[in-house]
């Protein structure tokens, strides 16, 4: 072989932590997630940027690229790779930094996921209802990359799929919970009503509810589509379609308490218990015959007498956890425990495979020959199990739940993650290749948006619950890849798939933003729960949620506001407003609000905070006065939180800033310097006033700078 035969040139992405920067040699060292070391060379054509959120302008940092190459900083490098026999050279062409500065990841800002949720929800509202009227007769399952409906030929039937509508309703309801924007709730409620009116079968004789696969809108009217017409489930009633039909209505119920929705949930669960449940061996069958409702019918073919991840595990994230959060009912808690018990008992497959088994026969014998799955693993399902077992463990504390979740989290990066570029793969062989020892990718090396969500949420909640720094590192790397490459800044929302290197893959149905598989569900679920876990569990910051209960909707007028299944006692209610007026009738530890008697729907805003929060910062504005109340310790560990909160509050451009430091027990010198820095930036026409401070030496130090005023009319009680 001659030298020319051994040469190879290609472009690719590599991600890792900077180990050194050598300005004289125009290069830096990079260590990937799994510890591999590379040298990256720079050049005149280098560009760089900081990851930006949806709705934000570009954050070009090309002029500061070399100054940003500090040791320990995480970076994505896209460049040209030159390989030859005995050597390799990587020349960077662009750098993407997920950190504003070392350790300050952009997506850990308290408002990051809230803003992203609003942008995504608005994308879907514009796409489906461009005239601003939320008439779900105009909804279409397919939505283009650009956020428009796919062109329809004259006379063509239009399919509206139940699950696609329900998933979007979930996303819109979730966006309301995070933002409080009325348009999202209005669309979610009208979508729920549309599902109930057009997609629901109310069998009062049997006391059950089940859901159509969808409806076809034809030139002459509407035609119900009863059994599924999706390829894997053709002419059957798959459990996962019935499960996901509840996703949107249940999330809407958390907000409004509409008793009709709860009735639908209860009678859908009655369907599950009566027909899908295996009373003898446990678990739930995956499909029913549409005529007899028999899961063992020969008509089901390869789906006869089968159980799978979707029929057993998808109850929890799709509707069941949210139904429990809204009601606190024991029967929902018991069903959650039952599904978690089934997973821990039957899904693990070590030492045969590091991946869980996902498909089973009636007797729980693994089914390794079914359809496209064969003996293959969906990486996201493994991560989803780790995430949901951790959630359920906060409700039903069982060692086997935490043990399996931690074991999956330990295994997955090496077998399902891309430790060279970041992100999570799609479907892999469950058993290692005898030649390479690795798990071969089945069809491609692309990465789907929903599987990134599972990785982010799994490691975020584990980081918050276990405080394991390795879990937090993996959560950050997962969120960095997603926010760097999946956000579509040109058209809005997020891409379905990207290539291994992060470049969007825009072919076929994967080009769409709305389809059988995609409808704003996973992307908005991610926003909601990433905000919850990041603020409340990881960064010890407050989270604000919004509700709008109907008159008399909840029993005893008690609104339950727990954001998710979190460790008992870890979160409390800090403040509540009803119709923008402070409301004091709440149980901080039980996470419940007692609503006043009213004949109108009430707008309820709830601020939640960690029970053990070392630093609390609250702000309020009245006219041109900004009040800043600080409690706890402002030390080096909490300095960044203090700086961010102060900078965000000062964005309101106040004329007077009042600092209540009565409950500050300690303050570090850099925090004092930050106050001085912000005072100087605000300008001489803005007064910084200390209205209370229990540490006289701090007051004296601040007043001595001639930058602060002291209001002696206020004292600390």
């Amino acid at each position: 072989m001659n030298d020319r035969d051994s040469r190879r040139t290609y472009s690719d992405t590599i991600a890792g932590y900077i180990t050194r920067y050598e300005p004289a040699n125009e290069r830096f060292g990079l260590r990937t997630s799994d510890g591999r070391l590379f040298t990256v060379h720079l050049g005149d054509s280098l560009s760089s940027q900081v990851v930006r959120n949806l709705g934000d302008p570009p954050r070009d940092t090309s002029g500061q690229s070399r100054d940003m190459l500090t040791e320990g900083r995480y970076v994505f490098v896209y460049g040209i790779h030159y390989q030859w026999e005995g050597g390799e050279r990587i020349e960077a062409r662009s750098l993407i930094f997920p950190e504003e500065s070392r350790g300050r990841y952009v997506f850990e800002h308290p408002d990051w996921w809230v803003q992203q949720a609003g942008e995504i929800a608005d994308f879907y509202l514009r796409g489906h209802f461009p005239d601003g009227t939320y008439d779900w007769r105009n909804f279409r399952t397919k939505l283009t990359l650009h956020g428009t409906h796919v062109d329809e030929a004259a006379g063509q039937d239009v399919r509206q799929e139940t699950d696609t509508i329900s998933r979007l309703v979930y996303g819109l309801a979730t966006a309301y919970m995070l933002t409080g924007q009325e348009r999202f709730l209005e669309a979610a409620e009208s979508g729920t009503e549309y599902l109930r009116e057009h997609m629901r079968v109310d069998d009062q004789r049997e006391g059950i509810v089940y859901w159509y696969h969808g409806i076809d809108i034809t030139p002459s009217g509407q035609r119900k589509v009863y059994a599924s017409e999706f390829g894997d489930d053709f002419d059957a009633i798959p459990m996962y379609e019935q499960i996901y039909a509840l996703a949107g209505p249940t999330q809407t119920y958390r907000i409004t308490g509409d008793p009709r929705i709860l009735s639908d949930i209860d009678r859908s669960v009655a369907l599950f218990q009566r027909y899908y449940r295996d009373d003898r061996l446990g678990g739930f069958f995956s499909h029913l015959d549409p005529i007899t409702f028999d899961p063992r019918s020969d008509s089901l073919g390869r789906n006869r007498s089968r159980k799978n991840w979707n029929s057993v595990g998808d109850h929890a994230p799709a509707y069941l956890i949210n139904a429990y959060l809204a009601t606190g009912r024991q029967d929902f808690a018991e069903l959650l425990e039952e599904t978690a018990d089934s997973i821990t008992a039957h899904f693990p497959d070590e030492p045969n495979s590091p991946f869980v088994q996902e498909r089973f026969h009636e007797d729980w014998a693994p089914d390794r020959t079914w359809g496209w799955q064969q003996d293959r693993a969906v990486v996201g399902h493994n991560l989803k199990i780790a995430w949901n077992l951790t959630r359920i463990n906060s409700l039903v504390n069982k060692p086997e739940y935490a043990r399996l979740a931690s074991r999956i989290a330990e295994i997955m990066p090496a077998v399902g993650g891309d430790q060279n570029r970041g992100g999570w793969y799609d479907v892999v062989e469950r058993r290692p290749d005898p030649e390479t020892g690795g798990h071969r990718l089945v069809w491609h090396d692309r990465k789907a948006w929903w599987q990134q969500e599972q990785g982010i949420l799994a490691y975020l909640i584990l980081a918050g619950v276990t405080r394991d720094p390795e879990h937090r590192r993996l959560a950050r790397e997962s969120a960095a890849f997603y926010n760097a490459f999946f956000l579509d800044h040109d058209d809005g929302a997020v891409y379905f798939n990207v290539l291994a290197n992060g470049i969007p893959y825009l072919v076929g149905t994967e080009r769409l933003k709305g389809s059988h598989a995609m409808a704003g569900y996973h992307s908005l679920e991610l926003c909601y729960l990433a905000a919850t876990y990041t603020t409340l569990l990881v960064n010890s910051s407050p989270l604000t949620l919004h509700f709008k209960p109907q008159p008399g909707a909840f029993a005893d007028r008690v609104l339950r506001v727990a954001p998710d299944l979190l460790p008992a006692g870890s979160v409390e209610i800090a403040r509540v407003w009803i119709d923008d007026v402070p409301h004091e009738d709440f149980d901080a530890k039980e996470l419940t609000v007692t609503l006043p008697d009213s004949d109108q729907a009430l707008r309820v805003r709830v601020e939640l905070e960690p029970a053990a929060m070392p630093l609390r910062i609250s702000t309020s504005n009245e006219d041109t006065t900004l009040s800043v109340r600080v409690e706890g310790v402002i030390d080096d560990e909490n300095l960044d939180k203090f700086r961010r909160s102060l900078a965000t509050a000062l964005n309101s451009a106040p004329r007077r800033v009042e600092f209540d430091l009565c409950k500050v027990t300690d303050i570090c010198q850099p925090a004092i310097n930050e106050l001085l820095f912000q005072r100087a930036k605000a300008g001489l026409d803005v007064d910084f006033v200390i209205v209370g401070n229990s540490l006289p030496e701090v007051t004296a130090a601040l007043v001595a700078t001639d930058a602060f005023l002291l209001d002696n009319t206020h004292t600390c009680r």
Side-chain angles (χ1 to χ4, degrees):
M1 178 182 294
N2 59 42
D3 290 341
R4 186 177 299 277
D5 293 335
S6 65
R7 296 175 189 171
R8 182 169 178 243
T9 304
Y10 61 96
S11 59
D12 205 353
T13 297
I14 186 171
Y17 299 87
I18 298 168
T19 60
R20 70 188 189 283
Y21 172 46
E22 303 174 20
N25 296 316
E26 279 285 88
R27 65 189 185 188
F28 65 92
L30 194 73
R31 174 178 52 81
T32 62
S33 183
D34 59 352
R36 286 175 288 177
L37 298 174
F38 295 89
T39 297
V40 179
H41 297 263
L42 307 175
D44 294 337
S45 58
L46 181 69
S47 66
S48 72
Q49 60 182 304
V50 172
V51 171
R52 60 175 167 136
N53 205 353
L54 289 174
D56 285 344
R59 304 183 65 179
D60 182 75
T61 55
S62 298
Q64 300 83 45
S65 298
R66 287 158 177 80
D67 295 333
M68 298 171 73
L69 296 174
T70 55
E71 184 178 346
R73 195 166 187 175
Y74 193 68
V75 63
F76 295 99
V77 180
Y78 183 79
I80 311 299
H81 294 236
Y82 298 93
Q83 290 182 344
W84 61 92
E85 189 171 354
E88 179 181 26
R89 179 183 176 89
I90 302 173
E91 294 186 358
R93 293 294 180 265
S94 69
L95 307 176
I96 301 177
F97 294 95
E99 298 166 282
E100 295 171 301
S101 59
R102 186 169 51 191
R104 294 184 62 187
Y105 286 84
V106 294
F107 43 78
E108 292 182 354
H109 189 284
D111 294 330
W112 179 273
W113 296 106
V114 178
Q115 176 179 321
Q116 192 172 122
E119 292 288 330
I120 294 172
D122 273 331
F123 171 87
Y124 283 99
L125 287 186
R126 289 193 304 269
H128 290 297
F129 315 108
D131 63 354
T133 301
Y134 308 130
D135 184 347
W136 288 80
R137 291 175 298 180
N138 297 324
F139 172 87
R140 299 295 182 262
T141 298
K142 292 183 179 180
L143 198 66
T144 69
L145 173 71
H146 310 296
T148 59
H149 287 154
V150 175
D151 290 338
E152 299 166 7
Q156 173 186 348
D157 294 354
V158 175
R159 174 69 51 83
Q160 291 185 330
E161 293 189 19
T162 300
D163 283 7
T164 314
I165 293 178
S166 181
R167 286 175 170 129
L168 180 54
V169 168
Y170 170 94
L172 294 169
T174 298
Y176 174 80
M177 291 182 72
L178 282 176
T179 69
Q181 296 298 315
E182 290 286 339
R183 61 186 178 278
F184 300 143
L185 179 58
E186 182 184 345
E189 288 190 287
S190 61
T192 298
E193 198 64 29
Y194 190 79
L195 286 168
R196 299 189 74 250
E197 181 180 349
H198 295 275
M199 311 298 195
R200 182 181 59 125
V201 179
D202 182 5
D203 188 338
Q204 298 197 17
R205 185 178 64 176
E206 296 293 328
I208 61 174
V209 159
Y210 55 95
W211 304 83
Y212 287 115
H213 173 73
I215 60 175
D216 283 339
I217 300 176
T218 73
S220 59
Q222 295 183 357
R223 178 175 60 233
K224 307 287 187 182
V225 183
Y226 174 39
S228 179
E229 293 191 356
F230 188 63
D232 292 342
D233 317 298
F234 196 79
D235 279 352
I237 304 179
M239 178 71 153
Y240 81 90
E241 287 193 1
Q242 300 298 307
I243 285 174
Y244 276 102
L246 294 176
T250 303
Q251 190 75 328
T252 305
Y253 176 75
R254 286 183 66 185
I255 299 168
T256 69
D258 186 336
R260 300 175 304 157
I261 299 176
L262 183 58
S263 175
D264 290 341
I265 297 169
D266 283 335
R267 291 192 291 161
S268 294
V269 171
L271 167 78
F272 303 158
Q273 299 282 28
R274 189 177 309 171
Y275 294 105
Y276 285 96
R277 183 191 184 102
D278 184 348
D279 291 325
R280 187 171 65 91
L281 297 174
F284 293 87
F285 291 106
S286 62
H287 295 77
L288 296 182
D289 175 272
I291 309 303
T292 64
F293 278 17
D294 182 2
R296 302 177 179 87
S297 173
D298 290 340
S299 69
L300 295 172
R302 65 182 181 182
N303 292 318
R304 177 183 179 274
S305 302
R306 297 298 199 276
K307 302 167 184 174
N308 60 29
W309 151 253
N310 300 104
S311 68
V312 175
D314 258 348
H315 294 266
Y319 76 92
L320 192 50
I321 286 177
N322 291 321
Y324 174 78
L325 292 172
T327 64
R329 281 175 26 183
Q330 186 61 28
D331 57 333
F332 291 150
E334 290 171 356
L335 184 52
L336 279 168
E337 182 179 7
E338 178 184 338
T339 59
D341 286 345
S342 294
I343 291 170
T344 54
H346 302 292
F347 281 58
D349 196 31
E350 288 190 282
N352 299 314
S353 171
F355 298 99
V356 298
Q357 181 66 51
E358 299 178 39
R359 294 187 181 272
F360 305 89
H361 294 277
E362 181 174 357
D363 62 357
W364 291 106
D367 180 3
R368 300 192 177 106
T369 63
W370 185 92
W372 59 265
Q373 184 141 28
Q374 302 294 303
D375 197 15
R376 297 161 177 163
V378 180
V379 173
H381 288 166
N382 288 261
L383 297 165
K384 200 171 188 179
I385 287 172
W387 162 43
N388 281 284
L389 284 180
T390 305
R391 300 167 86 188
I392 298 171
N393 192 55
S394 292
L395 177 64
V396 185
N397 190 354
K398 290 189 175 182
E400 57 266 34
Y401 297 173
R403 189 162 50 242
L404 180 55
S406 295
R407 180 59 180 156
I408 290 173
E410 178 187 1
I411 292 173
M412 278 305 107
V415 297
D418 185 345
Q419 296 183 297
N420 198 56
R421 305 174 189 87
W424 300 93
Y425 288 122
D426 185 6
V427 180
V428 302
E429 300 291 348
R430 293 182 64 257
R431 301 177 191 278
D433 178 64
E435 293 185 8
T436 65
H439 294 266
R440 295 171 57 212
L441 303 171
V442 175
W443 298 295
H444 52 69
D445 62 355
R446 300 197 291 274
K447 299 161 185 174
W449 93 106
W450 74 269
Q451 306 217 39
Q452 312 314 305
E453 180 216 7
Q454 310 308 312
I456 296 168
L457 295 183
Y459 288 101
L460 261 183
I461 193 171
L462 282 165
V465 170
T466 68
R467 316 306 297 179
D468 186 334
E470 184 71 0
H471 290 150
R472 186 172 190 186
R473 177 182 71 84
L474 291 165
R476 282 173 158 174
E477 290 179 7
S478 301
F481 187 87
Y482 179 85
N483 283 287
F485 299 115
F486 276 88
L487 307 187
D488 183 351
H489 297 288
D490 295 320
D491 292 307
V494 302
Y495 297 114
F496 188 116
N497 263 354
V498 299
L499 300 173
N501 59 18
I503 294 177
Y505 180 79
L506 305 176
V507 177
T509 58
E510 295 171 43
R511 180 182 176 83
L512 301 176
K513 297 268 179 64
S515 63
H516 172 81
M518 190 181 208
Y521 171 77
H522 288 289
S523 57
L524 284 160
E525 179 182 56
L526 170 61
C527 290
Y528 173 71
L529 290 172
T532 297
Y533 302 154
T534 300
T535 56
L536 295 176
L537 295 184
V538 176
N539 286 343
S540 295
S541 299
L543 174 72
T544 299
L545 296 180
H546 301 264
F547 302 84
K548 196 172 183 181
Q550 297 178 356
F554 293 105
D556 301 321
R557 302 200 308 275
V558 174
L559 172 68
R560 299 174 183 273
V561 298
D564 194 44
L565 290 179
L566 303 177
S570 62
V571 176
E572 295 180 353
I573 298 175
R575 294 185 291 177
V576 176
W577 298 261
I578 294 182
D579 291 338
D580 297 324
V581 177
H583 180 74
E584 302 298 332
D585 193 358
F586 61 85
D587 190 318
K589 296 185 181 301
E590 293 297 320
L591 301 176
T592 58
V593 177
T594 300
L595 302 169
D597 192 13
S598 173
D599 59 359
Q600 301 290 326
L602 301 170
R603 290 184 294 108
V604 181
R605 176 161 50 102
V606 180
E607 185 179 285
L608 302 159
E609 65 180 19
M613 191 161 68
L615 176 63
R616 291 178 169 85
I617 303 173
S618 58
T619 62
S620 61
N621 291 83
E622 184 173 350
D623 296 328
T624 59
T625 297
L626 168 67
S627 299
V628 181
R629 183 178 182 181
V630 186
E631 304 177 34
V633 177
I634 315 176
D635 56 14
D636 290 338
E637 184 174 343
N638 294 308
L639 179 61
D640 186 57
K641 175 181 176 180
F642 178 68
R643 294 180 65 185
R644 285 188 174 187
S645 299
L646 189 58
T648 300
L650 291 172
N651 284 336
S652 62
R655 306 292 295 180
R656 177 183 174 91
V657 185
E658 297 181 347
F659 292 92
D660 182 344
L661 307 178
C662 285
K663 293 190 176 181
V664 173
T665 57
D666 193 15
I667 183 170
C668 62
Q669 186 60 45
I672 296 176
N673 295 341
E674 177 66 21
L675 285 169
L676 293 172
F677 178 71
Q678 293 294 344
R679 172 67 189 88
K681 290 189 68 175
L684 295 177
D685 57 345
V686 180
D687 292 332
F688 273 40
V689 185
I690 301 172
V691 298
N693 194 342
S694 60
L695 300 173
E697 65 276 14
V698 174
T699 300
L702 291 172
V703 173
T705 65
D706 289 331
F708 291 81
L709 303 175
L710 181 61
D711 187 344
N712 290 313
T713 64
H714 292 74
T715 58
C716 296
R717 290 179 296 176

